[in-house]
Amino acid sequence: MAAFRHISDAVAVITLSNPPVNALSSALLQAVHKALGEANEDSAVKAIVLCGDHGKFSAGADIREFGQPSKKRGPGLLLLCDLLEGSKKPVVAAIEGVALGGGLELALGCHYRIAHVQARVGFPEVNLGILPAASGTQRLPRLIGISPALSMITTGKFVPATEALKLGIVDEVVNENTVDKAIQLAKKVIDQPLGSRQLSTLPVQCPPNAEALLDEALVKVKKQFRGALSPQACIEALRAAVRLPYSEGIKKEKELFDFLYNTDQPRAQQYAFFAERKVAKWTLPSGVSWKTASPQPIRTAAVIGLGTMGRGIVTSLAKAQIPVIALEQDKKQLDLGSKAVMSLLDREALKMKQLGQSAAASQPGPVQFTLDYSKLKDVDIVIEAAYENMVLKKEIFRRLSAICKPKAFLCTNTSGLDIDEIASVTDRPQMVIGTHFFSPAHIMKLLEVVYGQNTSSTTISTAMHLGKMLGKIGVLVGNCPSFVGNRLMRLYIEQVIFLVEEGSKPEEIDRALEDFGLAMGPFRMMDLSGLDIGWKSRTEIGLTGPNLPTGTPARQRGSKRYSPLPDILCEKGRFGQKSGHGWYKYEKPGDRNAIPDPWLHNFLSEYRGIHNLKSRHISHDEIIDRCLYALINEGFKVLEDGIASGPEDIDVIYNNGYGWPKHKGGPMYYASLVGLPVVLTKLEKYYEANPDIPGLKPSGFLKKLVAIGNPPLKEWQSHLGSQSSKL
Ligand code: CAA
Ligand code: NAI
């Protein structure tokens, strides 16, 4: 666990060792405690270096131990930080790789810190629903001041070593062996006074407006992370650092940690953390998995289409320093697209510089703009992001198949078209795959990787690896209309529109779902993406528009309920933000501020009158239940169909692509928390009242899980039975 060895020159080196990231398990803490005690007692030792094995200092507390009975624990992390600081012999932290959470707290307990130039430090606890509770909220502001500490602790961001040096978190950044340099420093400071290096004894560096700064931050996090408690608790812990002496601040830090720990949020966020790691480990029924399939190197890429998505995808590839060829259909679109890409790249480079990245790391890969398909003949991968139209996509793939080298992978960014049909026109269906980015593609973390019936494991592995290179979270899903994310979304959107027909206002529904924690209410989201996109595809498949058979009832398609409301808005030119009005009005086209629109309210009254719909009051609870349970119900159907390989996949998709609040774990986790019997009972009630909405008909798999006694989420898949997985 922790190795303790003497160095001839009187420096003891204590190495944290718990592969792969030296997580601070109780056993490791115990071992460090023992090693530190021995080093302090050994008169031959004059100074101590604390470092980590496997090129990493430590990724912090062992998250796997969270929730285990505390009596099993050995000496706490806080005690260890205090012992390090109280050591009469100087202690130097040698930081390689990462010093995160409890790892950084240990380093702050040391008297000196040296970091390798590629190391990163941070307090990501806020992303796990907790706060740095082993003195991090009290020692860090004493070292770097309240304002930068506030930013680090409330965002959980990783700070590169060069930036950490500027902030004063580390004393030195080195490009060679960090432990050797730490030993040299340790020798230099033997017998020097340690008072000024003991952070707990220092005053907090506090600007006169510190309280106002904290108040402002509180307003911001309440708005940004609606309902999430840990960002607020982090701010209150920092307020304690401003107002109270160290020992009292520590008490407040613990009190806040205990409060958070007793809520549901840390468990939900820790579940989300491990779910993200689980989805990277895909397995096919054949046994082929991430372990055995090797990704092919991607040295060059091409992107077809420089619209909303293509621009972001090119930016994302260039940011990852992959040279890209960007192709458009005509000069006008090429000029527009290239200007947009260059401006995105400038903004990204600036952001990276502000984060302390070196000029070399901030430099994007080269981007070449062209109208000429023959330029694509040597690229390793092509990502098509042209219009969502099967005929067009097939034409493009036929062309790519003829031009690209045989080893080139062909990917489509379609948001829901059949991957097999696209692959069928190529000479290499095994190398065709869906890479479904989310908008804005250079920012959003999610990448839905869609696997067709002929896609090879090498192609899957390469697409998943590309996702990692781009800093995305890849989730492998099967091929069905709209895949996973949008398939569930369709049911949710259907409900919100039906609720408006029945009497709700768009702004009431948005408020209810935003209060629940969703990043953006559905009507604001539809206005942002543009109502015309859905209208166009409904027209194409004959659900509305000129090809609708005459005599079709306005609010029915076959035996199913249908709402023509969004179609009518589009017919009136109300496309959302871009046209200055949609479900809301905007001061001018393109404006982001959604204003409730009296015109729409009148229009809805008239619409209800025409269709004999009696407006009723719809409660906040009914809004939440109908929208979320319809979405969750489809999630169970996706599992039943084998389109996702587990509930974690759906949750990772929703947490990272659809603004689901991570402190609620994801829709499937939320269902498990509420209890499946409750979900089923509510769905049965709403389906009985609305038998023409098939989305509310409870899934067979949900019913089965309830019948066998509501097993925990991690057991769901084992009860799936003989349904054949598409993965
Ligand atoms: N505890 C336990 N396991 C951890 C861990 C941790 N703190 N951090 C990472 N791991 C595990 C992962 O689960 C994964 O395990 P598997 O291989 O079994 O899936 C393995 O380490 C590698 O992790 P990644 O796949 O994420 O590897 P990466 O190289 O992409 O990223 C990392 C490495 C940056 C350290 C990333 O894992 C990470 O951000 N970890 C979490 C760090 C964190 O949140 N620390 C704070 C913990 S809370 C705390 O410290 C406060 C306290 O005292 C109470
Ligand atoms: P867009 O309309 O903004 O851009 C499409 C671009 O493709 C246009 O610039 C057009 O000139 C170009 N193009 C069309 N035919 C071409 C051809 N033959 N050769 C080269 N370029 C051609 O569309 P958007 O929104 O970027 O969507 C692209 C794809 O991404 C679609 O399949 C869409 O379903 C999908 N998608 C869209 C998302 C969104 O939020 N907009 C999200 C996820 C996926």
Side-chain angles (χ1 to χ4, degrees), residues 522-534:
F523 291 99
R524 290 210 295 130
M525 187 181 75
M526 283 187 264
D527 270 3
L528 173 69
S529 345
L531 303 185
D532 51 323
I533 296 172

Side-chain angles (χ1 to χ4, degrees), residues 437-642:
F437 290 77
F438 286 70
S439 180
H442 60 298
I443 306 240
M444 293 295 283
K445 283 286 225 179
L446 179 64
L447 180 69
E448 245 185 353
V449 175
V450 191
Y451 162 69
Q453 63 180 355
N454 294 310
T455 312
S456 72
S457 57
T458 305
T459 307
I460 295 173
S461 181
T462 305
M464 293 292 277
H465 185 68
L466 176 69
K468 204 163 176 166
M469 287 167 78
L470 304 185
K472 311 277 179 210
I473 302 173
V475 184
L476 184 65
V477 301
N479 181 25
C480 69
S482 307
F483 316 134
V484 172
N486 287 346
R487 175 168 158 183
L488 271 61
M489 184 53 40
R490 203 171 48 74
L491 278 295
Y492 164 86
I493 293 296
E494 186 179 82
Q495 283 308 309
V496 300
I497 296 172
F498 289 159
L499 285 167
V500 164
E501 283 192 330
E502 291 167 35
S504 292
K505 289 181 177 148
E507 53 271 27
E508 286 167 357
I509 296 180
D510 278 354
R511 199 177 320 118
L513 289 156
E514 285 170 8
D515 284 351
F516 175 83
L518 284 157
M520 192 182 277
F523 291 99
R524 290 210 295 130
M525 187 181 75
M526 283 187 264
D527 270 3
L528 173 69
S529 345
L531 303 185
D532 51 323
I533 296 172
W535 184 44
K536 199 163 162 255
S537 57
R538 288 192 299 279
T539 308
E540 266 170 23
I541 56 174
L543 275 176
T544 188
N547 294 331
L548 186 66
T550 38
T552 308
R555 298 185 48 252
Q556 222 173 307
R557 296 293 178 268
S559 58
K560 295 181 198 164
R561 178 170 162 185
Y562 180 83
S563 174
L565 267 175
D567 303 336
I568 302 173
L569 293 185
C570 287
E571 283 157 16
K572 292 181 184 301
R574 297 180 68 106
F575 297 148
Q577 275 184 20
K578 62 173 114 171
S579 65
H581 46 212
W583 293 106
Y584 289 93
K585 65 176 180 178
Y586 300 84
E587 289 286 352
K588 54 179 188 320
D591 210 75
R592 302 204 77 175
N593 185 27
I595 306 165
D597 189 352
W599 179 91
L600 187 95
H601 301 154
N602 286 335
F603 161 74
L604 289 174
S605 303
E606 278 171 28
Y607 172 90
R608 292 183 195 115
I610 293 168
H611 295 287
N612 288 325
L613 290 161
K614 209 165 157 231
S615 179
R616 65 184 176 91
H617 168 74
I618 299 171
S619 71
H620 176 279
D621 285 354
E622 181 175 345
I623 294 172
I624 298 291
D625 289 354
R626 262 178 66 180
C627 299
L628 299 187
Y629 293 155
L631 183 149
I632 287 165
N633 193 35
E634 194 65 14
F636 282 106
K637 292 179 186 173
V638 156
L639 293 177
E640 210 169 334
D641 293 350

Side-chain angles (χ1 to χ4, degrees), residues 303-313 326-330 332-334 336-337 370-371 373 384-389 392-393 395-396 399 412-417 435-441 483 486 528-529 533 536 658:
V303 175
I304 312 276
L306 286 176
T308 311
M309 295 308 290
R311 295 168 187 186
I313 298 170
L327 184 141
E328 252 296 347
Q329 59 176 343
D330 61 41
K332 188 174 158 233
Q333 293 299 112
L334 188 71
L336 279 174
T370 186
L371 295 171
Y373 269 83
E384 167 278 318
Y387 304 128
E388 185 76 343
N389 177 297
L392 171 68
K393 293 209 190 272
E395 193 185 306
I396 292 174
R399 218 163 161 184
T412 170
N413 188 49
T414 173
S415 33
L417 297 177
T435 45
H436 183 203
F437 290 77
F438 286 70
S439 180
F483 316 134
N486 287 346
L528 173 69
S529 345
I533 296 172
K536 199 163 162 255
Y658 293 85

Side-chain angles (χ1 to χ4, degrees), residues 641-678:
D641 293 350
I643 293 294
S645 67
E648 295 88 348
D649 301 50
I650 299 173
D651 287 338
V652 171
I653 288 173
Y654 264 76
N655 290 339
N656 295 288
Y658 293 85
W660 183 276
K662 266 198 187 167
H663 63 272
K664 289 204 162 101
M668 306 316 281
Y669 181 86
Y670 176 70
S672 74
L673 200 66
V674 172
L676 302 189
V678 175

